[in-house]
Amino acid sequence: MMQYISFLDMKSPYQELKGELDEAYHRVMESGWYIMGKELDAFEQEFAEYCGARYCIGVGNGLEALHLILRAYGIGDGDEVIAPSNTYIATWLAVSYAGARVVPVEPNAFTYNLDVEQVESAITSRTRAILPVHLYGQPADMERLMILADKYDLKVIEDSAQAQGAHYKGKMSGNLGHAAGFSFYPGKNLGALGDAGAIVTNDELLATHIKGLRNYGSKVKYYNDEKGYNSRLDEIQAAFLRVKLKYLDDWNDRRNKIASFYLDSLAGIPDLLLPQVLESASPIWHIFPLLHPKRDDLQRYLKSKGVDTMIHYPVPPHLSRAYSEMSMQKGTFPIAEKIAESELSLPMGPHLKLEEAEYIVNAIRSYQ
Ligand SMILES: *Cc1c(COP(=O)(O)O)cnc(C)c1O
């Protein structure tokens, strides 16, 4: 029988947590205080604790989180930041906003995360930071990146937008580098009901600096120490995030079960490449990515079977019009380009049922 399966069910999370979310909504509405208040303070403390880190600073979104970290480290004009050639464009934009130059490095062809070997050869006297992305929810090989960072005196800034709750060698993503940027965009594993983001760090100086930067550069109202930004996390979103944080591990476990099922039941299909997981990493499967040489055709076929899929991402940043000033031709970053040409994301989420995953697997197996 034909089924319809959406890529990500955005309604069931509210249905499941309706009582608590409605309670949080009323609490904030009736408080008469909507920006920079008790809910944000509490969320910052709870999320820092969750990550096992000392500080969390809530900001407007994930892009701003990364941008403010770079600013606070004084990274800008004339500096270089190493970032993956395959990522969501926000990673690159954060570097561009800061005024620094992105130096793209190719990913490992099987984990899709920064290839540490190639990072070292991209380091120059201008390099100030490495910006690894825990893409699709799997932590990058952080231990090796931190060793490089030590050797060359660089900062490592995690783009943890897709990795809330992912582990690497027993430590939580967000607590693996010098600082991390998180996004709580609604579709992320920990999602607000609007835009939101945060910075997590153990660096006290950085945390204090960013607390000013996110609020017009002022620590005392109307006394401005520098030209800051308006990038704050609303009370209402903080209140919602506090509710959803309690369910994050459970919801990540549900994704993990679906991912294990996909990995087992899709193994051995010719031409279909499954993602590889580092032994030291516990991913949270924000995205379940396949590679297939006839990706577009497979996507159309699945659509005809009622299965919605997505592509993360169809254009690598170096070939996007936004970065046309880099004048990079096709072929410059073949691995990133191959991923862009052949990646297909299967439905994945805490409310996807195992029977639906079975239907999806059968549909893929029936594709010729
Ligand atoms: C979502 C995302 C961002 C940006 O987060 P926003 O909250 O949308 O600004 C940055 N990097 C990656 C890898 C992302 O997936």
Side-chain angles (χ1 to χ4, degrees):
M1 209 183 62
M2 173 93 166
Q3 286 194 33
Y4 174 74
I5 302 169
S6 66
F7 175 70
L8 177 64
D9 175 356
M10 292 295 287
K11 285 189 176 163
S12 296
Y14 176 56
Q15 293 311 325
E16 186 177 333
L17 306 179
K18 184 169 165 41
E20 284 182 77
L21 289 170
D22 287 355
E23 199 275 317
Y25 166 82
H26 288 292
R27 191 171 69 234
V28 174
M29 285 299 131
E30 279 158 24
S31 74
W33 194 278
Y34 306 113
I35 283 185
M36 307 280 275
K38 281 191 232 153
E39 298 290 339
L40 179 61
D41 285 346
F43 173 69
E44 287 177 339
Q45 198 176 337
E46 287 158 13
F47 194 64
E49 224 164 82
Y50 177 82
C51 294
R54 288 172 66 196
Y55 306 101
C56 168
I57 306 106
V59 295
N61 55 62
L63 169 56
E64 279 296 306
L66 296 171
H67 172 220
L68 292 183
I69 295 168
L70 291 161
R71 287 274 177 194
Y73 276 137
I75 296 171
D77 241 7
D79 296 330
E80 292 177 356
V81 175
I82 292 172
S85 54
N86 65 317
T87 181
Y88 182 53
I89 199 166
T91 316
W92 284 38
L93 289 176
V95 178
S96 303
Y97 277 20
R101 202 167 75 80
V102 179
V103 175
V105 166
E106 287 268 73
N108 173 289
F110 302 100
T111 65
Y112 315 131
N113 274 330
L114 214 43
D115 182 340
V116 182
E117 246 104 80
Q118 293 195 49
V119 170
E120 185 158 17
S121 40
I123 295 172
T124 72
S125 59
R126 291 170 180 268
T127 309
R128 297 282 311 280
I130 308 171
L131 216 175
V133 179
H134 305 318
L135 197 68
Y136 307 139
Q138 170 166 212
D141 202 351
M142 289 294 293
E143 193 171 79
R144 293 171 63 212
L145 287 173
M146 291 305 282
I147 291 170
L148 271 187
D150 254 6
K151 184 167 160 193
Y152 294 95
D153 194 22
L154 307 173
K155 297 293 182 196
V156 178
I157 301 164
E158 300 170 70
D159 182 338
S160 222
Q162 304 189 355
Q164 305 90 347
H167 283 83
Y168 172 92
K169 301 205 168 173
K171 271 173 95 178
M172 195 68 95
S173 93
N175 192 21
L176 300 168
H178 297 102
F182 282 90
S183 163
F184 307 121
Y185 178 79
K188 301 285 157 86
N189 289 36
L190 177 60
L193 305 178
D195 275 314
I199 290 121
V200 169
T201 185
N202 290 311
D203 181 337
E204 185 179 356
L205 271 178
L206 183 81
T208 312
H209 192 170
I210 290 174
K211 279 195 172 174
L213 267 186
R214 73 169 167 188
N215 191 28
Y216 292 112
S218 77
K219 287 183 197 95
V220 179
K221 202 166 181 167
Y222 305 133
Y223 291 82
N224 300 79
D225 307 322
E226 61 183 318
K227 298 187 192 75
Y229 303 86
N230 175 356
S231 184
R232 301 176 296 219
L233 200 170
D234 295 338
E235 287 289 282
I236 190 83
Q237 299 303 344
F240 292 149
L241 285 166
R242 291 181 67 199
V243 172
K244 294 182 84 179
L245 179 58
K246 293 190 285 178
Y247 297 88
L248 178 60
D249 285 342
D250 177 37
W251 289 16
N252 280 344
D253 281 348
R254 294 192 215 167
R255 286 174 183 262
N256 200 27
K257 289 200 175 74
I258 303 275
S260 302
F261 174 72
Y262 279 153
L263 287 171
D264 289 344
S265 52
L266 291 172
I269 298 178
D271 285 343
L272 189 143
L273 191 66
L274 293 168
Q276 285 186 12
V277 175
L278 287 181
E279 214 174 291
S280 45
S282 314
I284 54 156
W285 300 105
H286 173 59
I287 299 287
F288 189 91
L290 301 176
L291 300 197
H292 195 284
K294 290 194 281 178
R295 185 265 315 276
D296 293 339
D297 194 53
L298 175 60
Q299 182 173 43
R300 271 191 298 273
Y301 177 78
L302 290 175
K303 183 88 197 157
S304 78
K305 297 280 177 193
V307 178
D308 253 355
T309 57
M310 285 186 71
I311 295 166
H312 296 93
Y313 299 89
V315 184
H318 71 282
L319 297 180
S320 79
R321 290 225 316 262
Y323 281 94
S324 54
E325 86 265 11
M326 286 178 124
S327 308
M328 287 194 170
Q329 304 302 312
K330 231 178 149 162
T332 312
F333 296 110
I335 300 177
E337 291 166 27
K338 182 180 167 235
I339 295 169
E341 283 160 15
S342 57
E343 194 274 346
L344 189 68
S345 307
L346 296 186
M348 170 54 80
H351 296 90
L352 188 74
K353 298 185 185 73
L354 199 57
E355 306 88 80
E356 291 175 314
E358 280 166 8
Y359 178 88
I360 294 163
V361 165
N362 288 335
I364 294 170
R365 286 202 165 271
S366 72
Y367 174 74
Q368 302 297 331

